[in-house]
Amino acid sequence: AKILSSTFGGFVFNGKVQIAKATILKSELSSMTTLNSIALKDSIIEKSKLSLVDTVGLLEMLGCLVKKSTLLGLVVTGIADFSHSSFEKSMVGNVEITKVDVLNIPVLKMRNTKLKRVTLENVTVGGTLDFQDSTLQKVTLKNVVVEEDLVFEYASLKKVVFDNVVVKGTFVLDGAEIRKSVFRYVFATKVRARSCKESKNLFANNTFPAPFEAGINCRARRH
């Protein structure tokens, strides 16, 4: 499907919403509510806006190219999965990932994802935020709260800015490569950085005091 210079909004679905291999250009999809799931796969989203989406269960954006676009006001009761996608010159903001029930931990997945010149702002994840195996370049994480773990395992971080990031679980940097990044304000209950390149410099600059103690605010200079 091709959606060009169009606006869709005010939809309420009782079942699944599936969009595959679509091109969405200069368009806006807003005010979409579903009681099941929304799946957007292998699609191109350029110069467009996806906003005010409320879904129970699953929000998927797999294998997508998101360029010069905005994702704003996403409320997911369950899991959001943006893995294997590419985000460039885009903004993801006002996102809330909450629990379905006590037994299910909500997750925002961005595994094996490329992010370049992207801002993630005002994001709250009731579970884990996972960037495993991803590449982040000139990315800003601002006002981010993670109830469980923030994972950058085997990720590449170049010129990444952490500005007011709270991790109530473990900040995982195992095998990560960190270059020219800024930690303005980071709070984490625990930090794990096994085989992390530049980890010694980070510790030396008191970004994450070792052994790390709960309740310490982390600050660092530019590397």
Side-chain angles (χ1 to χ4, degrees):
K2 290 185 178 180
I3 302 174
L4 308 177
S5 302
S6 302
T7 301
F8 295 87
F11 292 104
V12 179
F13 302 96
N14 289 323
K16 297 180 179 179
V17 178
Q18 293 185 334
I19 302 174
K21 297 182 179 179
T23 298
I24 302 172
L25 178 63
K26 296 181 180 179
S27 298
E28 181 175 350
L29 281 69
S30 65
S31 300
M32 298 174 61
T33 301
T34 174
L35 300 177
N36 199 304
S37 64
I38 298 176
L40 190 62
K41 298 181 179 181
D42 302 319
S43 296
I44 298 172
I45 304 170
E46 186 171 355
K47 297 179 181 178
S48 297
K49 184 177 181 180
L50 179 64
S51 64
L52 301 178
V53 174
D54 191 338
T55 179
V56 177
L58 178 65
L59 172 62
E60 284 186 327
M61 190 178 290
L62 303 177
C64 293
L65 171 61
V66 182
K67 189 174 182 180
K68 297 181 180 178
S69 296
T70 301
L71 280 66
L72 190 65
L74 309 181
V75 179
V76 181
T77 307
I79 297 173
D81 194 348
F82 299 160
S83 299
H84 304 285
S85 294
S86 179
F87 292 79
E88 185 175 344
K89 296 181 180 178
S90 297
M91 191 264 189
V92 181
N94 298 344
V95 177
E96 185 176 356
I97 315 296
T98 61
K99 292 183 179 181
V100 178
D101 52 51
V102 178
L103 298 178
N104 294 301
I105 298 176
V107 178
L108 173 53
K109 292 182 181 179
M110 285 190 163
R111 289 188 172 187
N112 198 18
T113 298
K114 294 181 179 179
L115 297 97
K116 185 176 182 180
R117 298 182 185 274
V118 174
T119 298
L120 283 81
E121 185 171 355
N122 299 329
V123 176
T124 301
V125 182
T128 297
L129 176 52
D130 190 352
F131 289 96
Q132 182 176 326
D133 297 317
S134 293
T135 301
L136 291 79
Q137 184 175 355
K138 296 183 179 179
V139 173
T140 298
L141 283 78
K142 185 175 183 180
N143 300 334
V144 175
V145 178
V146 183
E147 293 291 334
E148 297 290 337
D149 300 336
L150 176 56
V151 180
F152 287 98
E153 192 171 12
Y154 298 106
S156 174
L157 288 74
K158 184 178 180 181
K159 296 183 179 179
V160 176
V161 176
F162 293 84
D163 189 358
N164 193 27
V165 176
V166 177
V167 184
K168 297 184 181 180
T170 303
F171 196 156
V172 181
L173 293 163
D174 292 349
E177 181 180 357
I178 305 172
R179 291 183 292 168
K180 298 182 180 179
S181 293
V182 180
F183 293 76
R184 287 183 183 158
Y185 178 89
V186 177
F187 173 95
T189 303
K190 184 179 179 182
V191 173
R192 197 177 72 211
R194 300 166 184 163
S195 302
C196 172
K197 295 183 180 179
E198 295 294 329
S199 63
K200 290 183 180 179
N201 291 336
L202 291 174
F203 282 105
N205 287 326
N206 297 316
T207 307
F208 304 121
F212 194 83
E213 297 178 12
I216 293 178
N217 296 333
C218 311
R219 299 179 184 275
R221 298 186 295 274
R222 183 184 299 274
H223 300 294

